[in-house]
Amino acid sequence: MLDQLISSLTDGLLLGFVYGVAAMGLTLIWGVMSVINLAHGPVIALGMFGTYLLFTHLGVNPYLAMVPVAGAGLIAGLVIYVIAVHRVINAPHLSSLLATFAVNMIIIGVGTAVFSTSPQNIDYSLGSVEVGFLTFPASRLVGAFGAILVTACLYLFLYFTRPGKAIRAVANNRMAAELMGIPSSRVLALSFGLGTMMAAVAGGLIATFFPFTILSGGPYELKSFVICVLGGLGNPLGALVGGLILGGLEGLIPTFMPVSWVPVVEFGLFVLVLLVRPTGLFGAK
Amino acid sequence: MILQVHDVTKRFGGLQALSDVTFDLHTGEILGLIGPNGAGKTTLFNVINGVYAPEHGRVSFRGEDITGLPSYDVARLGLARTHQVVRPLHELTVRENVMVGACYGREKHSLKEAKRLADGSLDKVDLLDRADQPSGSLNVSQKKRLELARALAARPYLLLLDEVLAGLNPSEIASMMDTVRAIREDGISILMIEHVMQAIMSISDRILVLDYGTLIATGLPEEVANNPQVIEAYLGDPKMTAQLLAE
Amino acid sequence: MKAWQKPGFWLPLVIVLVWGGVVLLIHQDTMRETAFVLLMAVGLASSLNILLGYTGYVSFGHIVFFGLGGYTGFYLLSEQGWPLFAAAIGGGLLSAFIAGLVGLAVLRLRGAYFALATIGINEAARAFVSNFGPYGGATGMFVNFSAYEKYGGPGPALWTTFTFLWITTLVVLLVSYLVKHSRFGLGLLAIREDEDAAMVMGVKAPKSKTITYVISAFFPGVIGTLYFFKNGNIEPGDAFQLHMSIEMLVMVMLGGMGTVMGPLVGAVGYQWLRGYLLTSPIFKDLHLAVAGAMLLVIILFVPAGIVGWVRNHVRRLQKVLE
């Protein structure tokens, strides 16, 4: 019993790292510009397909493929920002919610026409790893490692580079940052690009675990909402911790009750945290 | 005694915004509230009309304890206010803005009655010709007068005015002063925050001086103007000191 | 001037009255099906608009009330043998009750936080119903065939359902108008523009918002019952589609939020466009992308929606298009 508990907890936590990366993209965008990016799910799906196409058609190692996928994600984010988000950045929330949802529809619509909705998978196995009584696919371990790497890179970028510091300044107080001469439009575009880049990379990592379709981003988008709220909207490190909590819950809950209750607990917790501590479990009250 | 503020203290995190503020406002009085920027004047307004609850202390309005009451309940008891930064309801017309005041103020009026009252208040502040325009289209001086009309339409016993003169030119200031005097003639008591010294000194019956959240002086305008503590409080602000000494 | 003397009061009501009347007179099945889908969209969009358009609160998961009310009504008529009319009201009342319960808490959240919470509530409700035994769990429920007998068999039952939907839609539009042009509605508009300033003026925002949430949740519950009775079955995937929730928002935006006519114009316009794109040989495969692109254009360039735009540009029509 205890063995099984630890095993499913480990499984969930490893997955949680990758959830964390997906949510980090969403929370970064929120933190900088107070926009909830409803095109997040489709971008995750595009990351899956980008990795898949590079692997299947060009034979690129899926983990190496994530480098060009990240680049493409960054560019996609810049384009989405310029076309759909910039004009509504100061409008009421409904405008930016619906504008990003329109992008969601466009990506899903084109994606469905191009890729259909039949499931694909990346046929690349790293075998499995045994640690004591624990056995899990090596891809999970690599995925978790990749997630930590991405988080570390994001932090180094935000704290030790000029554009990164500019992003933090704009997130802190856009008006003051503008007065200091920081070009806020460019910073906002860059943040949006980084946010979608994280989503694309998360999609690439998830694609190495599970089969997927163009619609597969949706559930991860919803999970990202939950994670962001658990970790505090706008707090990237909180997103990683939130991801681990969610992953852990997904690992643990099925040992106590039927799997179908997992979303009830997840979303119940989500609403509860929003109501009781809208700044997240670790945020200031 | 229409308003009694007793020992009111308000903190924001580590910042002591108000400490042990105590004063009374007599019925029919115009009481001026002055102090350097950040002294806690607007915070005091927010505590009086229920936007914030104080950590301790008591606020009584017409003999009733209103400490910690939500702002809408305070409004319905007959306490109206204007905001330092004007807050018109942009998408509504000027008249509709004022009707909100009338419908939800001290007297609960039907829409029809509210419309009549609204036109009356708009007339008082000289905005009646703009009644059908969206309020977002007004200029600053008109928005200030709209705020005042909205507060008046609530038929309050007490009016809190937060810098109604700021941003106005000298002739607009003069006409706003006349309006404020006329409001008092109608029997409404007034507590007003103001930075335009000449104006507040000439219109107020008494003056309160707030500095770092503490009431440092109370009295007739000329007493306050010559109070060494007050002059010291303003020394950080040479322009103000000059103005004060010029009185 | 009293409400019934104003053209803006009559216009939406007369349109729907005549429309439904014509469908009932011609009595053709395909026409009824089309009208059912359209009227349902009008009813749902108008209910959402009572909250969204008048208070400014963006309920992203409003479909939860369609789902919960639909499930409850379906359960009452299929498992408990209630007549359709009573079951639909029952479904509506349950939705209204849930809205009252969660409203007080959730409506404290503002802006995007509220929007996120409503998504969470919808997902939690979907997951809960999927596990809820009396409602058939993940497989849902089917109409007990005897339920149709009361209305003279499946065919006539569909016509009865349509008539109920028609009346419900009329009531939604009526309520929408009355709310907007009441003292209560003026308070809501004040909340929409600046909630804190509204409270300082005496508007009891928490109570007003909750009442509005309850009103805008009641009708989707009624409509849900009628819709799933017409379909003959109900399952969690159909009842709590987040996608449908967003379609409702799109309809309101397209027509013009905060107006009575807007959701009517927007719902019909959106459904017509969708139908056109789905059947057009050129756009068939890309219908979602084309719809998305059009939505984007509206959000970016015509944020007031069709009715709002016309009102702003043709002053003479302001009295007609409320």
Side-chain angles (χ1 to χ4, degrees):
Chain A
M1 175 64 194
L2 191 66
D3 286 7
Q4 201 206 335
L5 203 70
I6 293 175
S7 148
S8 51
L9 181 63
T10 315
D11 210 38
L13 286 177
L14 288 177
L15 205 52
F17 277 106
V18 179
Y19 289 171
V21 173
M24 221 178 284
L26 198 70
T27 213
L28 179 71
I29 293 173
W30 168 266
V32 177
M33 62 195 90
S34 300
V35 165
I36 289 178
N37 178 19
L38 290 178
H40 197 66
V43 174
I44 293 175
L46 287 184
M48 295 171 170
F49 273 90
T51 312
Y52 166 78
L53 291 176
L54 285 170
F55 171 71
T56 336
H57 294 291
L58 300 175
V60 184
N61 177 298
Y63 295 101
L64 279 180
M66 278 169 217
V67 177
V69 163
L74 180 66
I75 293 168
L78 294 175
V79 172
I80 295 172
Y81 178 81
V82 170
I83 294 178
V85 183
H86 188 66
R87 273 187 76 99
V88 291
I89 197 89
N90 292 319
H93 281 293
L94 178 61
S95 302
S96 56
L97 284 166
L98 286 184
T100 54
F101 186 72
V103 174
N104 174 320
M105 288 165 77
I106 295 171
I107 296 175
I108 296 285
V110 175
T112 310
V114 176
F115 302 115
S116 84
T117 49
S118 48
Q120 310 287 351
N121 75 309
I122 292 178
D123 193 11
Y124 179 85
S125 173
L126 292 173
S128 55
V129 179
E130 272 181 62
V131 183
F133 59 88
L134 293 173
T135 309
F136 43 83
S139 62
R140 297 287 175 92
L141 204 60
V142 179
F145 178 71
I148 296 170
L149 195 69
V150 170
T151 312
C153 286
L154 182 72
Y155 262 80
L156 289 176
F157 178 78
L158 287 179
Y159 280 84
F160 295 102
T161 67
R162 263 184 87 81
K165 287 176 184 171
I167 289 179
R168 281 169 47 229
V170 171
N172 205 276
N173 185 334
R174 196 192 309 168
M175 210 136 72
E178 265 173 39
L179 289 175
M180 309 283 282
I182 295 173
S184 78
S185 295
R186 255 186 275 169
V187 173
L188 294 177
L190 176 65
S191 322
F192 203 92
L194 282 177
T196 50
M197 184 180 94
M198 311 284 285
V201 171
L205 289 173
I206 294 166
T208 62
F209 308 156
F210 306 118
F212 52 90
T213 75
I214 189 71
L215 302 175
S216 295
Y220 294 102
E221 181 176 314
L222 287 173
K223 283 190 207 301
S224 296
F225 289 155
V226 179
I227 292 165
C228 288
V229 166
L230 288 179
L233 266 167
N235 175 359
L237 205 58
L240 193 67
V241 181
L244 290 176
I245 295 176
L246 195 78
L249 282 177
E250 286 189 359
L252 284 182
I253 294 171
T255 54
F256 299 106
M257 49 178 120
V259 172
S260 58
W261 281 94
V262 172
V264 184
V265 177
E266 277 178 6
F267 288 104
L269 189 66
F270 168 68
V271 175
L272 196 72
V273 172
L274 259 179
L275 290 176
V276 182
R277 287 190 77 98
T279 49
L281 291 176
F282 327 100
K285 207 161 169 150
Chain B
M1 214 72 76
I2 189 159
L3 180 74
Q4 288 171 295
V5 173
H6 187 76
D7 254 358
V8 159
T9 295
K10 175 72 200 166
R11 275 184 220 98
F12 294 109
L15 180 80
Q16 185 92 359
L18 293 173
S19 11
D20 299 327
V21 174
T22 301
F23 70 92
D24 294 336
L25 200 157
H26 307 284
T27 310
E29 186 179 32
I30 295 184
L31 186 58
L33 176 57
I34 64 170
N37 284 323
K41 302 185 294 291
T42 299
T43 306
L44 180 58
F45 271 23
N46 283 332
V47 168
I48 293 173
N49 88 324
V51 174
Y52 303 141
E55 264 74 45
H56 74 84
R58 202 179 64 244
V59 181
S60 317
F61 178 59
R62 305 181 77 234
E64 193 176 331
D65 187 356
I66 60 164
T67 323
L69 229 52
S71 54
Y72 44 82
D73 284 336
V74 175
R76 286 170 183 218
L77 289 173
L79 200 160
R81 77 173 280 187
T82 69
H83 293 94
Q84 182 182 2
V85 180
V86 288
R87 301 175 88 162
L89 311 170
H90 286 273
E91 298 268 315
L92 304 187
T93 64
V94 170
R95 180 182 285 118
E96 284 168 335
N97 262 272
V98 183
M99 282 166 69
V100 176
C103 279
Y104 290 93
R106 178 167 66 81
E107 299 164 349
K108 289 185 178 181
H109 290 292
S110 67
L111 280 182
K112 206 173 142 199
E113 188 63 15
K115 202 169 178 176
R116 204 180 55 76
L117 267 172
D119 285 0
S121 319
L122 282 172
D123 196 27
K124 233 175 250 172
V125 300
D126 227 10
L127 265 184
L128 193 53
D129 50 332
R130 308 256 169 203
D132 292 313
Q133 284 186 7
S135 62
S137 70
L138 299 180
N139 66 31
V140 177
S141 141
Q142 290 164 337
K143 281 178 181 162
K144 293 251 167 188
R145 281 184 279 151
L146 172 60
E147 284 250 332
L148 190 56
R150 219 160 58 175
L152 284 179
R155 307 276 230 133
Y157 296 115
L158 172 63
L159 193 55
L160 309 183
L161 300 177
D162 197 345
E163 295 201 29
V164 280
L165 302 179
L168 304 189
N169 67 35
S171 79
E172 288 168 342
I173 289 183
S175 93
M176 184 62 97
M177 298 264 286
D178 289 340
T179 313
V180 172
R181 283 194 186 96
I183 293 168
R184 192 248 295 264
E185 294 308 311
D186 289 344
I188 298 171
S189 314
I190 293 171
L191 174 59
M192 63 191 291
I193 297 176
E194 203 46 72
H195 272 308
V196 183
M197 282 301 157
Q198 236 165 348
I200 190 91
M201 289 293 174
S202 74
I203 202 169
S204 307
D205 300 315
R206 284 189 306 141
I207 301 267
L208 303 174
V209 188
L210 207 55
D211 186 32
Y212 289 110
T214 314
L215 215 49
I216 57 168
T218 317
L220 301 174
E222 52 271 27
E223 291 171 10
V224 166
N226 295 315
N227 182 320
Q229 232 189 322
V230 175
I231 294 171
E232 196 183 328
Y234 273 109
L235 274 181
D237 197 341
K239 210 176 101 217
M240 284 293 194
T241 318
Q243 269 190 18
L244 202 63
L245 293 173
E247 291 302 315
Chain C
M1 225 169 19
K2 294 283 184 235
W4 56 84
Q5 291 170 312
K6 292 185 183 167
F9 171 77
W10 285 111
L11 189 65
L13 293 181
V14 168
I15 292 174
V16 173
L17 203 66
V18 171
W19 177 12
V22 168
V23 173
L24 284 175
L25 270 178
I26 296 181
H27 213 78
Q28 193 195 54
D29 285 355
T30 52
M31 195 179 193
R32 183 201 60 218
E33 285 306 299
T34 314
F36 194 100
V37 172
L38 287 174
L39 281 177
M40 180 168 111
V42 173
L44 290 176
S46 293
S47 315
L48 176 64
N49 183 52
I50 294 175
L51 179 74
L52 171 70
Y54 302 157
T55 70
Y57 275 74
V58 184
S59 178
F60 242 83
H62 218 58
I63 205 69
V64 72
F65 299 116
F66 173 81
L68 284 177
Y71 252 105
T72 305
F74 199 95
Y75 172 80
L76 290 175
L77 70 87
S78 189
E79 310 289 320
Q80 305 293 329
W82 286 32
L84 179 59
F85 174 73
I89 300 281
L93 286 177
L94 179 99
S95 287
F97 176 71
I98 301 277
L101 223 55
V102 297
L104 265 181
V106 181
L107 286 160
R108 284 186 305 146
L109 301 169
R110 292 198 186 170
Y113 286 88
F114 176 75
L116 276 182
T118 58
I119 294 179
I121 290 170
N122 184 56
E123 294 303 314
R126 181 224 301 269
F128 175 78
V129 168
S130 306
N131 288 294
F132 189 55
Y135 283 2
T139 48
M141 293 181 284
F142 291 86
V143 168
N144 192 334
F145 207 73
S146 65
Y148 289 128
E149 296 301 317
K150 284 186 197 133
Y151 307 97
L158 291 179
W159 282 103
T160 312
T161 316
F162 174 78
T163 312
F164 279 154
L165 177 71
W166 178 45
I167 296 167
T168 308
T169 309
L170 282 169
V171 175
V172 179
L173 289 169
L174 182 70
V175 169
S176 175
Y177 184 95
L178 292 178
V179 166
K180 188 180 178 188
H181 292 86
S182 64
R183 183 175 168 279
F184 176 70
L186 184 63
L188 298 183
L189 297 181
I191 291 173
R192 180 184 77 189
E193 297 299 318
D194 185 336
E195 187 165 345
D196 295 315
M199 290 206 282
V200 166
M201 282 189 272
V203 179
K204 282 191 181 177
K207 194 174 144 197
S208 301
K209 287 186 296 186
T210 308
I211 293 173
T212 313
Y213 198 46
V214 166
I215 296 174
S216 84
F218 173 76
F219 296 107
V222 174
I223 295 171
T225 309
L226 299 175
Y227 175 73
F228 290 107
F229 178 69
K230 178 188 86 95
N231 277 5
N233 75 313
I234 185 167
E235 53 177 290
D238 290 340
F240 301 97
Q241 286 181 66
L242 197 56
H243 194 262
M244 230 170 120
S245 207
I246 297 171
E247 280 184 323
M248 284 158 68
L249 285 163
V250 173
M251 291 172 203
V252 174
M253 276 300 277
L254 176 67
M257 59 183 261
T259 64
V260 181
M261 268 305 274
L264 175 60
V265 173
V268 174
Y270 178 83
Q271 292 291 3
W272 171 82
L273 184 75
R274 205 179 104 98
Y276 170 77
L277 290 175
L278 272 172
T279 50
S280 143
I282 312 166
F283 296 124
K284 195 174 57 190
D285 291 334
L286 286 170
H287 80 272
L288 198 61
V290 177
M294 299 190 95
L295 171 61
L296 192 57
V297 169
I298 289 168
I299 306 287
L300 297 181
F301 301 105
V302 202
I306 297 168
V307 172
W309 189 87
V310 173
R311 272 175 65 90
N312 291 340
H313 286 80
V314 191
R315 288 191 71 87
R316 257 179 308 152
L317 287 178
Q318 284 193 356
K319 288 264 180 285
V320 188
L321 296 174
E322 284 286 0

